[in-house]
Amino acid sequence: MKKIFLALLTVISFTAFAQQPILVTMDSIGSNDNLRNVFTVDIPQVSLKDVERDWLKTVGKRAQDKATVVNGENIQKGAVNKNISPEPFTLYSKLVETTAGVRLTVWL
């Protein structure tokens, strides 16, 4: 009886505190005359305000300029990330609040 109770308690603890997986998808969207490759991440159980604050703080750490917002899109000029490019680049992002959390879309 003790073994069954212990096994049941173990299974319940793993399923009760399970975290939703975060998946990154790559899509192509059209803008004016060209196609852009975008990366999209759905972040569950968070508020738009928290994600926006943390996102702008993260991308602006080693950037040369301050982030600007144009038509709901965050534009970070002079972003630096050696894993992406040895030269500074411009990073565009858009945050949208959904019923499940926040959707972050990023393109270069």
Side-chain angles (χ1 to χ4, degrees):
M1 184 69 174
K2 289 181 182 180
K3 290 181 182 180
I4 293 173
F5 180 71
L6 182 62
L8 182 62
L9 186 61
T10 303
V11 169
I12 290 173
S13 67
F14 283 123
T15 57
F17 300 109
Q19 186 176 11
Q20 295 178 0
I22 295 179
L23 301 173
V24 178
T25 57
M26 186 175 144
D27 297 317
S28 294
I29 61 169
S31 174
N32 298 337
D33 296 335
N34 57 359
L35 279 173
R36 291 188 180 142
N37 291 328
V38 299
F39 296 95
T40 304
V41 178
D42 287 326
I43 307 168
Q45 304 170 347
V46 294
S47 71
L48 178 63
K49 183 180 177 182
D50 292 339
V51 173
E52 188 170 30
R53 181 191 67 232
D54 293 343
W55 174 250
L56 293 176
K57 182 177 168 184
T58 301
V59 297
K61 273 186 182 175
R62 294 180 298 266
Q64 296 171 352
D65 294 333
K66 289 193 171 210
T68 58
V69 178
V70 177
N71 296 331
E73 294 178 357
N74 300 312
I75 303 170
Q76 179 65 61
K77 293 184 179 182
V80 177
N81 186 326
K82 300 297 181 189
N83 294 324
I84 296 173
S85 172
E87 300 293 323
F89 55 92
T90 302
L91 179 76
Y92 301 89
S93 62
K94 187 168 189 171
L95 294 160
V96 178
E97 191 163 21
T98 64
T99 57
V102 174
R103 175 169 291 151
L104 170 64
T105 304
V106 178
W107 62 96
L108 306 174

